[in-house]
Amino acid sequence: MDNKQEVVECIRKFNRFYTVLLGFLNQNYLGTGYSVTETRILFEISRQEGISAKQLCDLLKLDKSYMSRMIRSLENNGSIYREVAASDKRRNCVYLTDKGRTEVLGLVETTNKDIYQLIETFDMDVCGQICDAMELILDKFSEISKERR
């Protein structure tokens, strides 16, 4: 690469390819009826039961009103519920319902299967190269992400 514009174009090319490859642009992500954003919110709630909407906004870099609509939608379909925090009555905590837990397990299983199908023809050397490249991307962009906080 000779200049930063070529790097920008390379990153954009990869992003366009990857978002289509993994189906991120489908409103019905992985055939679940959820968008990518909704599935990510469910996943984060499963990792941190009792997380607040504000914490989700900060974590996922989403607008407060958009997050509110997403939470209301997930609550209306029975995947999550809210409770007022015992430590701060102004704060709502979000939890998965049994339905939500089942859905998250299904999402993880489906995602794992889809990714496995992508890599099943690769030998372990190629898999290692892919993981090394992804680790490099994560490391470098994580540094930038920390600086922006």
Side-chain angles (χ1 to χ4, degrees):
M1 303 260 154
D2 294 328
N3 62 54
K4 298 280 179 141
Q5 184 58 40
E6 289 178 20
V7 175
V8 168
E9 305 231 356
C10 180
I11 291 170
R12 292 187 67 229
K13 179 181 175 183
F14 175 81
N15 286 342
R16 286 190 304 271
F17 172 78
Y18 194 70
T19 55
V20 171
L21 179 68
L22 293 184
F24 291 160
L25 303 179
N26 301 335
Q27 283 186 314
N28 187 14
Y29 181 61
L30 299 174
T32 62
Y34 294 115
S35 68
V36 171
T37 305
E38 290 168 322
T39 59
R40 183 60 191 272
I41 291 168
L42 286 171
F43 178 74
E44 292 304 333
I45 294 169
S46 76
R47 290 181 57 203
Q48 300 179 61
E49 290 263 348
I51 192 170
S52 71
K54 181 182 181 337
Q55 289 170 309
L56 282 167
C57 287
D58 293 344
L59 179 67
L60 300 175
K61 307 286 188 253
L62 293 173
D63 177 78
K64 190 172 149 180
S65 61
Y66 182 58
M67 180 61 72
S68 178
R69 288 192 304 275
M70 293 287 103
I71 287 175
R72 190 172 26 255
S73 173
L74 292 168
E75 191 173 34
N76 287 341
N77 83 7
S79 297
I80 65 170
Y81 67 96
R82 289 184 266 190
E83 281 187 1
V84 176
S87 60
D88 183 352
K89 301 293 183 202
R90 298 168 296 171
R91 188 173 144 235
N92 281 316
C93 297
V94 186
Y95 300 87
L96 292 176
T97 61
D98 288 341
K99 175 186 175 184
R101 278 187 203 79
T102 300
E103 289 170 335
V104 169
L105 290 173
L107 287 165
V108 169
E109 184 178 315
T110 300
T111 303
N112 288 349
K113 262 194 250 178
D114 287 354
I115 293 171
Y116 185 82
Q117 286 176 347
L118 287 174
I119 65 169
E120 72 181 331
T121 60
F122 300 152
D123 63 29
M124 287 310 294
D125 287 339
V126 171
C127 289
Q129 292 170 356
I130 290 169
C131 288
D132 289 346
M134 290 181 169
E135 285 296 325
L136 177 65
I137 292 167
L138 283 170
D139 288 347
K140 295 304 172 188
F141 286 152
S142 291
E143 291 171 14
I144 293 168
S145 179
K146 289 176 187 170
E147 291 170 7
R148 290 184 175 183
R149 288 184 192 166

